[in-house]
Amino acid sequence: MKNLIVAIVFIFSMHLFAQTSEDQVSTVSVYGYVELPMKAVKFRSKMTISLQEASYTSADCYKTLEEMQVAYFKKLVENGIDPKNVTENRADYYLNGRRDKGTTYEFESTDGEKVMTFMGVTIAGAYTNGMEYQLEEDQSNYDRNLKETLKQIESNAQGLASGLGQEIGKVMKIDMSKGRTNQKWTTYKDDGFVTIYAIYSLK
């Protein structure tokens, strides 16, 4: 995955932290962003089967939900998926507003190709909700990216200070916050990011 470091600096007005004129300190504040790549560690999909939906395809398709389930399990086996690894979640079917006879099956795996196979197993009256991902942070290049971004933040702060005929002093404050990191299940594979906020004194 291509690593991207984006350092964006916002020019703030000079902050004055003071109790008296003797301890007055001028500061400059800067922001930086480090992209935090995310990797999918698990994949999941749901397949809903509906007796009513099947009847729209063919009036003689299936007479009962049980008959429909047997046909679906047969298709799973034909495509190399053990029905024992598929979890039925009938409550999810009705939570989605359905009132007819039907059910929902869930399949998850660390193998995305296997889940894609599951998604391709259909019968009349069956439909899938697509792929969902369980994401974790990919720390492989994060430390290096963080160091480079911190250097860039310091350089940007010094650039602002130089424009005022001053130099930066010590770091008065530094905060880090993460956005879009570890998620249980999501339909998006967007990367996360870390926001760095730093305040430097001026001398």
Side-chain angles (χ1 to χ4, degrees):
M1 183 181 293
K2 184 178 180 180
N3 293 295
L4 175 65
I5 302 173
V6 183
I8 303 175
V9 177
F10 296 90
I11 302 177
F12 288 85
S13 60
M14 303 301 291
H15 294 275
L16 300 179
F17 297 95
Q19 296 297 325
T20 68
S21 59
E22 288 78 14
D23 61 9
Q24 191 175 80
V25 178
S26 297
T27 65
V28 62
S29 304
V30 290
Y31 274 115
Y33 294 96
V34 183
E35 187 176 271
L36 181 55
M38 307 298 292
K39 59 182 178 181
V41 294
K42 271 191 177 181
F43 306 83
R44 181 177 74 173
S45 186
K46 297 179 182 181
M47 184 68 70
T48 296
I49 63 173
S50 163
L51 195 60
Q52 180 175 308
E53 295 292 334
S55 69
Y56 296 151
T57 304
S58 172
D60 299 323
C61 192
Y62 303 107
K63 301 300 183 183
T64 65
L65 177 61
E66 289 72 22
E67 182 184 349
M68 192 175 186
Q69 289 172 304
V70 169
Y72 179 60
F73 289 157
K74 181 180 178 181
K75 267 292 195 67
L76 287 175
V77 172
E78 290 173 354
N79 285 272
I81 296 178
D82 189 342
K84 292 180 181 178
N85 296 326
V86 178
T87 303
E88 183 176 10
N89 187 348
R90 191 165 295 191
D92 185 77
Y93 182 81
Y94 293 112
L95 284 173
N96 286 323
R98 302 299 304 237
R99 294 293 179 266
D100 57 306
K101 291 183 178 180
T103 191
T104 297
Y105 291 100
E106 299 177 0
F107 180 71
E108 66 179 69
S109 173
T110 56
D111 185 346
E113 292 298 322
K114 196 74 173 177
V115 177
M116 289 290 289
T117 299
F118 169 79
M119 292 170 59
V121 178
T122 61
I123 58 173
Y127 56 92
T128 179
N129 72 330
M131 181 85 80
E132 294 179 296
Y133 310 92
Q134 186 174 322
L135 304 177
E136 287 185 0
E137 300 170 5
D138 184 353
Q139 295 282 348
S140 57
N141 294 308
Y142 174 69
D143 290 341
R144 183 191 66 190
N145 293 350
L146 177 60
K147 289 178 181 178
E148 291 181 9
T149 300
L150 289 172
K151 289 179 181 178
Q152 187 63 56
I153 286 175
E154 183 177 348
S155 175
N156 290 332
Q158 182 58 58
L160 293 174
S162 297
L164 299 169
Q166 296 181 273
E167 294 183 359
I168 59 172
K170 65 180 181 179
V171 177
M172 304 291 290
K173 179 181 179 180
I174 187 164
D175 286 328
M176 297 176 63
S177 62
K178 293 182 179 181
R180 288 204 310 272
T181 55
N182 293 3
Q183 300 182 55
K184 181 61 177 176
W185 291 109
T186 178
T187 55
Y188 301 98
K189 293 177 68 177
D190 294 344
D191 287 330
F193 59 90
V194 177
T195 303
I196 303 172
Y197 172 62
I199 299 176
Y200 291 85
S201 63
L202 294 176
K203 58 183 181 179

